[in-house]
Amino acid sequence: MPALYKAEGIILRTRPLGEFDKIITLLSPDIGRIHAVARGSRRLKSSFMGKLEPSTRIRGLVARGKNLDILTQVQVIEFFPHIRRDLKSLFASAYLLELFEAFTPFQENSASQYNLLRKGLAAIQRGVDPEIVCRGCEIKLIWVSGYQPELGHCVVCEGSVETSENFSSRLGGAVCDMCSIREKNMEHFTAGARSLYNRFLKAGSGSMTGESMERENMENLDEILSSYLAGIIGRPFSASRFMKEFGR
Amino acid sequence: MYARPISDLIHLLTKLPTIGPKTAQRLVFYMINTPKEDIEELAAAMIALKEKMRECEVCHNLSEREKCVICEDNTRDESILCVVCTPQELAAIEKSMIFKGKYHVLGGALSPLEGIGPEKLNIGSLTARAKKGDIKEIILATSPTLAGEATALYLVKQLSGIPVKVTRPALGLPMGADLEYADEITLARAMEGRRNIGEARD
């Protein structure tokens, strides 16, 4: 990588460094997840002020550093002001940022993840139900990251799962009725929620609406995805708790 | 490499924020050459800090007594309450000498990305204060960051059933800033919150 490079991306996270600096984590389509220091960005009159907030899409000039790269110039391409106007949208966008940070490789091409996150944030900004946007992004992200669960046949015996509603996050897919007797920690993945999962998979992220989505199917899909994603990453997502507890 | 007292102190000082091993080493050698009385004074001040400082039982600001100096000050306006996240933010507002009401310190900000939930903040005591009926206006002076905005939105929800006016400080351009370097978000908020000059002069 050259000593000075241009990076476009969505800010996933910022954390303070020293008295006046910030470390930003950026999701860039070409170089994946990168960390860079924005020197003096916490000073009130810094030219960075207001531009380095999570979920803002920026274009920046980055200098290679010994330990951390240094952000030297920033231009805002897109910001999503409406996602900060209600608690549900704000928590949903925070959850998306945390989710994509966990699923984006460090310094590797991540164009699919980037486009997905951009479309997700834009959908929340347009006023699409944040819960629907989150489910859509989760399902698509699982697919683009190569973690798709096996739903076509039983993950244990490869038998038919047509009539089974058993799912195992630990094993990574559907489990037939026979195998579910032997396996521990089975989850209930209803036929309605599974059909919803397939609808989300076929639809573009953010293009779904809440019409014809039964509440219980949405809740079941949410439970299954939460446990499946937490199983992949090895920990639950802290922002998802906020969305469930305080965002409604 | 160094005698035990020196290496122990270097190790302890590196636990402090922004102090690395090199700075710690510099401080330790400065202390070796400092008169004993000065070092004893410094040590006593650090111990007193831990022993004497506590949270004000009303507003959660740092205080030497049960109530902080601001809560004990009867000349301040009790009908207006300014909510801040930390005692440092309270000190910043106090420095401006523009606000003459009382405060409430939350002890942090709601942060979905860091997992800091409302149960870790002094929100229960805030709603209890608001319900008493003496307060007419609550200013939510949280930072305009993701965490600050989340905190403000959450507080608006919590205070919604209580008959009190809830406001937020204006967001806009800092004094002396160049307009051409201002970011789009700040400019948008500044334009949204514009007011006529006559009103500003009042």
Side-chain angles (χ1 to χ4, degrees):
Chain A
M1 208 180 278
L4 203 63
Y5 62 94
K6 283 179 186 169
E8 181 188 315
I10 297 168
I11 298 173
L12 296 174
R13 188 186 285 266
T14 66
R15 61 197 85 182
L17 176 72
E19 211 164 340
F20 298 111
D21 308 337
K22 251 185 201 178
I23 298 178
I24 64 153
T25 305
L26 197 70
L27 166 53
S28 161
D30 312 318
I31 37 178
R33 189 163 46 89
I34 54 167
H35 301 296
V37 179
R39 292 223 171 114
S41 56
R42 283 158 65 213
R43 287 181 195 274
L44 201 60
K45 287 178 187 171
S46 163
S47 62
F48 288 133
M49 184 53 86
K51 295 176 183 171
L52 302 179
E53 278 295 299
S55 80
T56 308
R57 194 154 75 92
I58 59 160
R59 189 177 292 129
L61 196 62
V62 188
R64 299 285 290 168
K66 207 189 278 181
N67 298 315
L68 277 166
D69 292 355
I70 297 153
L71 190 68
T72 58
Q73 287 174 34
V74 164
Q75 184 193 353
V76 174
I77 308 172
E78 194 176 12
F79 65 101
F80 305 98
H82 293 298
I83 64 178
R84 287 183 174 213
R85 293 199 174 155
D86 74 90
L87 215 49
K88 193 174 177 182
S89 303
L90 195 142
F91 286 155
S93 58
Y95 170 62
L96 288 183
L97 298 178
E98 192 186 3
L99 182 74
F100 279 79
E101 187 182 8
F103 276 86
T104 308
F106 190 62
Q107 295 191 346
E108 265 181 43
N109 187 304
S110 306
S112 310
Q113 285 94 331
Y114 171 78
N115 287 327
L116 207 49
L117 178 58
R118 189 164 61 84
K119 284 178 188 168
L121 291 174
I124 297 177
Q125 164 80 7
R126 279 202 311 276
V128 179
D129 184 345
E131 217 177 324
I132 292 172
V133 177
C134 287
R135 292 300 84 76
C137 284
E138 284 168 343
I139 291 167
K140 296 263 179 182
L141 183 63
I142 288 170
W143 273 77
V144 299
S145 310
Y147 288 107
Q148 56 269 42
E150 180 54 70
L151 297 175
H153 53 74
C154 173
V155 280
V156 183
C157 69
E158 297 197 354
S160 168
V161 284
E162 255 177 58
T163 55
S164 166
E165 292 194 337
N166 302 304
F167 184 86
S168 168
S169 292
R170 187 178 62 82
L171 298 170
V175 179
C176 70
D177 290 330
M178 285 299 287
C179 295
S180 72
I181 300 165
R182 291 190 302 272
E183 295 297 332
K184 287 175 188 167
N185 303 326
M186 279 297 114
E187 291 146 83
H188 190 59
F189 194 9
T190 64
R194 201 190 289 199
S195 128
L196 198 56
Y197 174 90
N198 290 324
R199 275 176 62 197
F200 269 115
L201 202 57
K202 283 174 195 154
S205 72
S207 63
M208 299 263 289
T209 60
E211 286 164 31
S212 72
M213 281 187 200
E214 282 180 27
R215 189 73 230 159
E216 58 186 46
N217 289 339
M218 274 294 277
E219 280 172 10
N220 182 231
L221 184 61
D222 180 18
E223 274 171 34
I224 292 290
L225 288 171
S226 294
S227 120
Y228 187 64
L229 289 163
I232 296 168
I233 298 302
R235 61 170 172 86
F237 290 91
S238 57
S240 76
R241 174 178 79 98
F242 283 79
M243 223 172 76
K244 284 170 196 162
E245 283 181 38
F246 316 112
R248 284 180 182 148
Chain B
M1 191 166 79
Y2 292 119
R4 188 73 184 267
I6 295 177
S7 58
D8 280 357
L9 188 54
I10 290 175
H11 173 70
L12 288 171
L13 287 172
T14 51
K15 289 184 181 177
L16 299 175
T18 74
I19 294 186
K22 202 80 183 165
T23 310
Q25 189 179 297
R26 204 160 41 238
L27 288 172
V28 170
F29 281 96
Y30 173 80
M31 287 180 198
I32 288 172
N33 297 316
T34 304
K36 195 182 171 200
E37 302 78 56
D38 290 359
I39 297 295
E40 280 171 350
E41 204 181 338
L42 177 69
M46 287 167 86
I47 291 165
L49 183 78
K50 284 309 284 181
E51 283 178 351
K52 292 182 183 170
M53 293 314 286
R54 59 166 98 171
E55 254 187 30
C56 167
E57 62 181 24
V58 180
C59 74
H60 305 282
N61 185 17
L62 290 173
S63 169
E64 270 189 88
R65 288 181 290 190
E66 284 175 353
K67 279 186 182 179
C68 70
V69 282
I70 296 171
C71 288
E72 278 189 341
D73 187 348
N74 294 328
T75 62
R76 298 186 76 114
D77 187 353
E78 300 225 7
S79 68
I80 181 161
L81 192 70
C82 181
V83 179
V84 290
C85 290
T86 62
Q88 296 96 302
E89 289 176 0
L90 183 152
I93 296 174
E94 275 299 282
K95 243 193 263 175
S96 73
M97 294 192 291
I98 197 84
F99 180 70
K100 298 290 175 210
K102 301 241 169 164
Y103 290 93
H104 189 88
V105 182
L106 293 172
L110 205 65
S111 176
L113 289 171
E114 308 297 330
I116 301 169
E119 69 283 351
K120 291 180 184 163
L121 307 177
N122 303 316
I123 292 175
S125 53
L126 172 67
T127 48
R129 283 179 86 179
K131 277 176 188 166
K132 273 185 184 172
D134 306 331
I135 298 163
K136 289 191 175 71
E137 181 180 353
I138 294 180
I139 306 169
L140 302 177
T142 56
S143 301
T145 57
L146 189 79
E149 298 275 323
T151 312
L153 286 170
Y154 183 77
L155 290 177
V156 167
K157 208 173 167 184
Q158 295 299 305
L159 297 166
S160 61
I162 305 166
V164 62
K165 183 179 167 189
V166 181
T167 58
R168 189 121 168 80
L171 293 173
L173 302 161
M175 283 298 288
D178 273 324
L179 203 69
E180 66 171 306
Y181 294 118
D183 64 286
E184 291 82 344
I185 307 167
T186 307
L187 272 175
R189 293 283 177 98
M191 292 303 271
E192 276 173 13
R194 71 188 186 278
R195 57 183 187 176
N196 70 48
I197 296 170
E199 190 188 332
R201 278 187 189 143
D202 290 341

